[in-house]
């Protein structure tokens, strides 16, 4: 198998359900090694299973739908508008480009959540936020756009790592779309509340587990005491049985002696 063929086979891994990724990756790496493609096998084995948020962005890219193309085009427009804003011109275009980019991201996030639901995966606010962050990164940078377009993400992308909008652009976006700002805050609050619920649940489970362990300890102590009493009762019964056997033996001896003393009847 050539290196190109190995890469193409590796691409297929990213179209699989997340739960099938690791087993399929390891099987492919073994097959490549058997065929003498040690370097390709090493690269495949090093691939990490994408988190759900990255996996679903990969599926958006692999479906080749129009939504991703619109996002990347909106990203190019926004980058050009940012450059113009830095030169002190094009404020209206910056606002329009920022709005177009947000609309494109929102549409793709909805599509991503639908894909996750259809595949039987949870659609949490945290996953939604990570998907949106990766899509914003794709619109902010040509490098990130290529990563997303390739459909082989193994991790989420951070927009701050690929460039960001200007301060004027950020302010324009906030003024243009306060609903988006409230939605972002709501998502953060929901994630915080979810973390609090998990922490409370873990604490409650720890208390219940401790109580259960203490109850089992008390039952074990009680069982040990009952076993000691049972052993004492059994020991007394054994001693009583031994004494009874002794008495029976003596009684039998006395009987024989009594019978021997009875004179014969002539």
């Amino acid at each position: 198998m050539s290196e190109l063929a190995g890469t193409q086979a590796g691409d297929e891994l990213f179209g699989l359900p997340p739960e099938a990724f690791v087993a399929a990756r390891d099987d492919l790496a073994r097959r490549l090694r058997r065929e003498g493609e040690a370097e390709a096998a090493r690269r495949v084995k090093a691939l990490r299973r994408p988190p759900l948020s990255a996996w679903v962005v990969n599926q958006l890219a692999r479906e080749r739908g129009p939504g991703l193309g619109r996002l990347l085009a909106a990203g190019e427009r926004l980058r050009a508008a940012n450059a113009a804003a830095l030169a002190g011109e094009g404020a209206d275009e910056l606002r329009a480009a920022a709005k177009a980019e947000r609309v494109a991201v929102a549409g793709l996030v909805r599509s991503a959540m639908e894909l996750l639901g259809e595949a039987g995966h949870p659609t949490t606010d945290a996953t939604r936020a990570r998907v949106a962050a990766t899509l914003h990164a794709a619109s902010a940078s040509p490098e990130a756009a290529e990563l997303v377009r390739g459909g082989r993400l193994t991790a989420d992308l951070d927009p701050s790592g690929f460039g960001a909008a200007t301060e004027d652009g950020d302010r324009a976006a906030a003024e243009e779309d306060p609903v988006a700002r409230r939605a972002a805050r709501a998502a953060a609050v929901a994630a915080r509340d979810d973390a609090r619920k998990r922490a409370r649940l873990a604490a409650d489970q720890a208390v219940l587990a401790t109580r259960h362990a203490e109850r089992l300890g008390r039952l074990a102590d009680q069982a040990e005491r009952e076993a000691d009493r049972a052993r004492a009762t059994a020991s007394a019964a054994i001693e009583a049985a031994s004494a009874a056997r002794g008495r029976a033996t003596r009684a039998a001896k006395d009987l024989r002696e009594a019978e021997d003393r009875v004179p014969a009847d002539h």
Side-chain angles (χ1 to χ4, degrees), residues 182-205:
R182 290 197 298 271
R185 173 173 170 74
V189 170
R192 181 202 63 194
D193 292 345
D194 185 55
R196 284 178 176 173
K197 290 178 183 177
R198 289 197 301 271
R200 285 196 296 268
L201 177 61
D204 291 344
Q205 289 174 339

Side-chain angles (χ1 to χ4, degrees), residues 1-7 9 28-45:
M1 180 180 291
S2 68
E3 180 175 328
L4 176 59
T7 301
L28 176 58
R30 285 192 295 269
R31 178 155 54 89
L32 288 169
R33 280 195 297 271
R34 287 196 303 268
E35 295 173 358
E37 298 287 347
E39 179 59 24
R42 185 192 63 78
R43 287 198 304 271
V44 167
K45 184 66 176 178

Side-chain angles (χ1 to χ4, degrees), residues 13 26 43-44 48 77 79 90 121 126 143 213 231 247:
L13 297 175
D26 293 348
R43 287 198 304 271
V44 167
R48 293 188 301 163
R77 179 185 177 188
R79 292 194 299 274
H121 298 296
E143 292 81 6
R231 283 192 291 269
R247 289 194 299 272

Side-chain angles (χ1 to χ4, degrees), residues 4 21 59 68 72 75 130 174 192 220 225 242:
L4 176 59
F21 183 92
Q59 306 321 300
L68 185 59
L72 300 182
R130 288 194 294 269
R192 181 202 63 194
R225 289 193 297 271
S242 178

Side-chain angles (χ1 to χ4, degrees), residues 12-238:
E12 296 175 2
L13 297 175
F14 293 92
L16 297 174
E19 59 274 15
F21 183 92
V22 173
R25 177 201 65 192
D26 293 348
D27 181 67
L28 176 58
R30 285 192 295 269
R31 178 155 54 89
L32 288 169
R33 280 195 297 271
R34 287 196 303 268
E35 295 173 358
E37 298 287 347
E39 179 59 24
R42 185 192 63 78
R43 287 198 304 271
V44 167
K45 184 66 176 178
L47 293 172
R48 293 188 301 163
R49 168 181 165 171
L52 273 180
S53 46
W55 174 82
V56 75
V57 172
N58 287 339
Q59 306 321 300
L60 291 174
R62 300 173 77 85
E63 286 186 350
R64 306 297 180 189
L68 185 59
R70 283 195 294 268
L71 170 67
L72 300 182
E76 291 180 2
R77 179 185 177 188
L78 180 58
R79 292 194 299 274
N82 278 328
L86 288 173
E89 55 189 45
D92 291 342
E93 169 60 11
L94 178 58
R95 291 188 179 90
K99 182 177 181 179
E101 189 264 356
R102 290 195 305 277
V103 169
V105 167
L108 282 172
V109 168
R110 286 193 297 271
S111 297
M113 295 303 102
E114 290 173 1
L115 283 175
L116 285 174
E118 291 169 0
H121 298 296
T123 55
T124 65
D125 289 333
T127 299
R128 182 187 299 271
R130 288 194 294 269
V131 169
T134 293
L135 295 173
H136 281 302
S139 70
S141 159
E143 292 81 6
E146 282 305 308
L147 290 174
V148 169
R149 186 185 287 113
R152 289 171 56 98
L153 293 177
T154 58
D156 303 313
L157 301 182
D158 182 356
S160 64
F162 292 93
T166 64
E167 182 179 350
D168 288 342
D170 289 339
R171 186 181 300 113
E175 293 173 352
E176 179 78 21
D177 193 0
V179 174
R181 185 173 66 251
R182 290 197 298 271
R185 173 173 170 74
V189 170
R192 181 202 63 194
D193 292 345
D194 185 55
R196 284 178 176 173
K197 290 178 183 177
R198 289 197 301 271
R200 285 196 296 268
L201 177 61
D204 291 344
Q205 289 174 339
V207 170
L208 291 175
T210 300
R211 291 175 179 171
H212 184 59
E214 291 173 348
R215 180 173 176 272
L216 290 178
R218 290 193 297 271
L219 290 175
D221 291 342
Q222 180 181 348
E224 186 173 354
R225 289 193 297 271
E226 291 176 353
D228 289 340
R229 287 196 294 269
R231 283 192 291 269
T233 301
S235 178
I238 291 172

